[in-house]
Amino acid sequence: MTSAPVGVDDTRKLEILQATWRLIAERGYHEVRVADIAKAVGTSTGTVHYHFPGKQDVLVEALRYCVEQAFTRQSEELRKLEDARERLLKLIELQLPRAGQVRDEWSVWIQFWAEAALRPELRPVHNDFYGRWRHAVVRIVERGITQGVFRAVDPDAFALHLSSLTDGLAIQVLTGSPQVSVTRMRDVLTDFLRDELFA
Amino acid sequence: MTSAPVGVDDTRKLEILQATWRLIAERGYHEVRVADIAKAVGTSTGTVHYHFPGKQDVLVEALRYCVEQAFTRQSEELRKLEDARERLLKLIELQLPRAGQVRDEWSVWIQFWAEAALRPELRPVHNDFYGRWRHAVVRIVERGITQGVFRAVDPDAFALHLSSLTDGLAIQVLTGSPQVSVTRMRDVLTDFLRDELFA
């Protein structure tokens, strides 16, 4: 393997990651075997092990991949919007767990929470990823205060409230709560912004 | 087994449940084997299988046991308080994920979310349990409005916001967020009550 050009290795690793995070999202971390990943990519279990020596490495890298993908996708969309109100409403829209990519990303997050609650060694990486989300909200809130379209709230406290509320509502959507559809989730979050943040 | 008096069977089942939910809370649902449960209770794997034919039955019953225990414990405490403000503040206090019993209960909830997101057959039971929590909050909010100590909010909408926020903050505590201690979680929740609910 050491003789393979770096580019080939990277391509293979990316293919493994793409297959892995979808498998985790659909079947669950504990149900995905290295053999399933190898089969999905059309490679050997040895190659999968080469890229991910331990099973926790697979979960950590799958979450990292989700986070990076979502960040890139969302940043591109958000940059188009000058107004902080529009930007924050758009962020909420992009994070709603509709069926497909975003719901699958939420599925990986929820599984990561369950693992990180049990295994302290996963917490630093979780908290790094999570800090990025919250910091993105903090920056939009600060921007809106500067623009005069938001009230002078504490950006950190507001971001914690909004991100915790978002997580709690997403759990209800993903567990099929009869009270919480994607539409209801959007309404609760946008009502919160209009009542507490928008000037 | 059919010859055993009902009382003996019930006692054994309760012992199995008590051991099982602690094992799930500490090690994780996927790491607990029927042999671990049998060993913890000092019985055979056959007896465990008799009470819980499938592994999902164990998880469902463990969550049910958590919910019933917490409900009984909390109801006794809450009944002592006439004032709806004190009652809601007490409910928050009793649900804070301090180390021990309550944190273990949260651990089981988080694992149940991860499973219910993946396995639709677990959702009705999750939503029943969840509906009980939310309904308890709705009743306290209605009581407070009648007593004149709460503003005339929509009790259902308020309960959804409060319970989702609580879940989202508990995730941060259980995943060891450097930003969210038990104390910070209490402050965020009580600030929310004072700003949005208390008259």
Side-chain angles (χ1 to χ4, degrees), chain A residues 67 87 89 93 128 178:
Chain A
V67 171
R87 205 174 266 210
L89 289 169
E93 200 64 30
D128 275 358

Side-chain angles (χ1 to χ4, degrees), chain B residues 5 21 25 34 75 81 85-86 104 113 120 129-130:
Chain B
W21 89 265
V34 171
S75 299
L81 303 168
R85 280 169 307 198
E86 289 177 38
D104 285 351
W113 295 334
F129 293 154
Y130 207 89

Side-chain angles (χ1 to χ4, degrees), chain B residues 164-184:
Chain B
S164 300
L165 182 61
T166 303
D167 289 344
L169 290 166
I171 290 165
Q172 295 302 310
V173 174
L174 266 86
T175 56
S177 164
Q179 272 84 44
V180 191
S181 61
V182 166
T183 303
R184 179 89 194 268

